Amino acid sequence: MNHIIKPMTAAVLIGALAACASKPPAGTPAYDAYMAEQAREAAIEQVDNTLKASPDWYRTPTVRPGYLVAAGTDRSADMQFALDKAVLSAKSGLAAQVNSAVSSTIKSFIAESGDPTDPVIEREIEKVAKDVVAEVSLAGHRIVKHEISREGTDYRAYVLIEMPAGQPKQALVKQGNDSRVLKSRLRASRAFQELEAEIGKTR
């Protein structure tokens, strides 16, 4: 047994000495570069571990017909705070989707009935889009799935939220009709009239 242990011990010592030998003296530029590389490798390993630990439904969210979905993740030493931050992250993703969809929709309506490149129109489109996001992002969503795991000494939370796709449409019609700048332009658009009719049927 001693004959086995001794070679193993020697191998460990040789490995440790080699590691020390490859580490530059502290306070030198080479040492700073070495430590920066070590930190980079540790960060890459952390990212790889986080990806491996993330649930499939987070990496590839399933979208139900008639719904918008967004996934979010965050970490904290407090489990509830980790979950709250993950929900906030997912809501930000949902808000970005709504903002993009609403902006492009309004622009297409305006293009049917006027000049969509008018600076005043552009500013009003941005305002209406933000108003729609503010209205729909605070209500109507629900957590579909969530999972909490350990990451070092912290909790890592993953959440998936969804919201009815019709909710932004309703808010768009309301905000569009409330806008003195856009109202006449939008109502001149056949597509906007059809959207109003669609929303009216669902009420």
Side-chain angles (χ1 to χ4, degrees):
M1 180 66 71
N2 290 337
H3 293 298
I4 297 174
I5 294 175
K6 287 179 180 178
M8 289 180 63
T9 304
V12 171
L13 288 173
I14 291 171
L17 289 172
C20 291
S22 63
K23 187 176 181 179
T28 64
Y31 176 83
D32 293 340
Y34 173 83
M35 295 304 294
E37 178 61 19
Q38 292 296 304
R40 188 184 74 85
E41 291 179 0
I44 290 174
E45 183 179 1
Q46 180 63 58
V47 169
D48 288 340
N49 291 337
T50 300
L51 285 173
K52 289 176 184 176
S54 63
D56 292 339
W57 53 261
Y58 173 79
R59 293 192 297 271
T60 54
T62 301
V63 182
R64 286 202 299 157
Y67 283 83
L68 299 174
V69 301
T73 183
D74 216 315
R75 59 184 287 181
S76 173
D78 180 85
M79 184 167 62
Q80 183 60 50
F81 192 40
L83 184 59
D84 291 343
K85 290 200 297 181
V87 170
L88 184 61
S89 173
K91 287 175 66 177
S92 295
L94 201 60
Q97 290 182 55
V98 172
N99 186 78
S100 177
V102 168
S103 295
S104 63
T105 300
I106 297 176
K107 287 178 181 177
S108 64
F109 291 160
I110 296 297
E112 292 181 15
S113 56
D115 181 10
T117 61
D118 184 331
V120 176
I121 296 295
E122 280 287 340
R123 285 195 297 271
E124 190 65 11
I125 286 174
E126 291 179 8
K127 178 181 180 302
V128 168
K130 288 179 182 178
D131 289 343
V132 170
V133 170
E135 182 173 334
V136 304
S137 64
L138 299 179
H141 74 275
R142 72 183 187 94
I143 298 177
V144 182
K145 293 180 180 179
H146 75 278
E147 186 173 312
I148 299 174
S149 59
R150 183 175 66 84
E151 186 172 295
T153 58
D154 289 344
Y155 296 96
R156 165 70 65 175
Y158 300 91
V159 300
L160 184 69
I161 65 175
E162 69 175 16
M163 181 183 70
Q167 193 169 331
K169 293 180 181 179
Q170 293 178 5
L172 170 56
V173 168
K174 177 181 179 298
Q175 295 295 337
N177 284 325
D178 287 347
S179 169
R180 289 178 294 177
V181 176
L182 296 183
K183 184 174 181 179
S184 60
R185 296 284 191 94
L186 292 175
R187 296 190 67 81
S189 164
R190 181 177 180 82
F192 188 77
Q193 293 173 18
E194 291 174 352
L195 179 59
E196 282 187 307
E198 177 190 332
I199 297 304
K201 290 177 182 177
T202 61
R203 287 175 177 168

